[in-house]
Amino acid sequence: MYNKATPMKILGIETSCDETAAAVVQDGTTLLSNAVASSMDLHKVYGGVVPEIAARSHIEAMMPVVNQALTEATCTWDDIDGIAVTYGPGLGGSLLIGVLTARTLAITKQKPLYAVNHVTAHCFANFLTKTPLDNYQLPNSAPDFPVLALIVSGGHTQLVLFTDYFDYRILGQTGDDAIGEAFDKVAKILGLPYPGGPSIQAAARGGDDRAYRLPKARLEQPYDFSFSGLKTAVLRTAQAAVGKDFTFPSHQIAPLLSEQQVADLAASFQRVAVETVVDKTLAAFEEFKPRSVIIAGGVAASAALRQELQARLPIEISYTDLKLCTDNGAMVAACGSVMAAQQLPTADPFSLDIVPNLSM
Ligand code: KG4
Ligand code: ZN
């Protein structure tokens, strides 16, 4: 990608939610390491991420994860050309640990600091095409611009058209819940464990995806999304399935559902949620005629989404490794790597602040 005599290695740090992650990426294309410690198991009992627990876990895991990323990449600090860190959007306490760590390391190790937007970074995971690491399935080639990106995570649902790495237009986004949030909330109604995406995917395998009729939101803007209606429709359908009305508390439904009802509801919800985002991606593909389509964010790990999109898109689509879809440091390092190569402004390590509600 770059005509540089010496390869450039960037350390990426990510702590926006419950994953403490660090990775080393070379020249924006080569994944040298990817270390992740998750506090997910600590949150499971609460059915969602508890911000204070996440922040405390980041404090404990941060430096061991950074050191693991360097060791895995067989790097010392002398080999690192810059540090990239997620400064938003995300949970305030969580972002703070990553940003303070990156600032301190930038000062003490005398490295340039790159402030990275978490949502943009998710897209950059798709530009990683090489790795010496085992167990990673990466695309053979990087996407070609213009790139249509479907960003689907626990916090975001957006269609974005990139004409270059940092030159993009948001075509549409959700006005209420993100798609991942809908997976997580529906899983809770069905009594399935957090995070909802993987557990709904597993439960749906034994279900009939047409067993229940659920609505697709109709919106004025063609590329905008809404998932709160679908989530409520699942709740009403589940209440009716157990012979109750809309006043019946959602947390009392799951024990009354049969295994088959759970599987059918999971499959029906998953089909409608996936079809909704694929319908809009296809419409945007036809209107804007991009050369590549990418999917990014935790829900990009969905097998149903991957199948449906490839089946309906008229071009080949390469998906990145599942481990690079959910939150990770590699996507942050990849983004910082391109920022460094393009000589974009660096952040001040003495003053970089977090921006929990940062948008793209
Ligand atoms: O990108 P991510 O790790 O964190 C945010 O930035 O939000 O995304 C997490 C989201 C969760 O809502 C989780 O349920 C969803 O990604 N997810 C999935 C799958 N794996 C993770 N959703 C559907 N199918 C999956 N296989
Ligand atoms: Zn994310």
Side-chain angles (χ1 to χ4, degrees), residues 269-345:
F269 161 76
Q270 181 175 255
R271 179 180 63 78
V272 173
V274 162
E275 276 181 14
T276 300
V277 292
V278 173
D279 288 350
K280 288 177 190 268
T281 307
L282 249 81
F285 180 84
E286 275 156 28
E287 180 171 352
F288 299 101
K289 303 186 172 46
R291 291 184 65 195
S292 303
V293 175
I294 59 174
I295 55 174
V299 184
S302 162
L305 172 58
R306 289 173 172 226
Q307 278 160 20
E308 176 85 5
L309 195 57
Q310 186 59 85
R312 290 173 57 193
L313 261 185
I315 56 165
E316 270 303 307
I317 175 164
S318 302
Y319 298 119
T320 192
D321 195 276
L322 298 183
K323 297 184 281 303
L324 299 180
C325 292
T326 44
D327 292 348
N328 63 84
M331 65 190 204
V332 179
C335 184
S337 207
V338 179
M339 291 172 82
Q342 297 200 345
Q343 299 181 335
L344 296 186

Side-chain angles (χ1 to χ4, degrees), residues 118 122 153 327 331:
H118 177 87
H122 267 300
S153 74
D327 292 348
M331 65 190 204

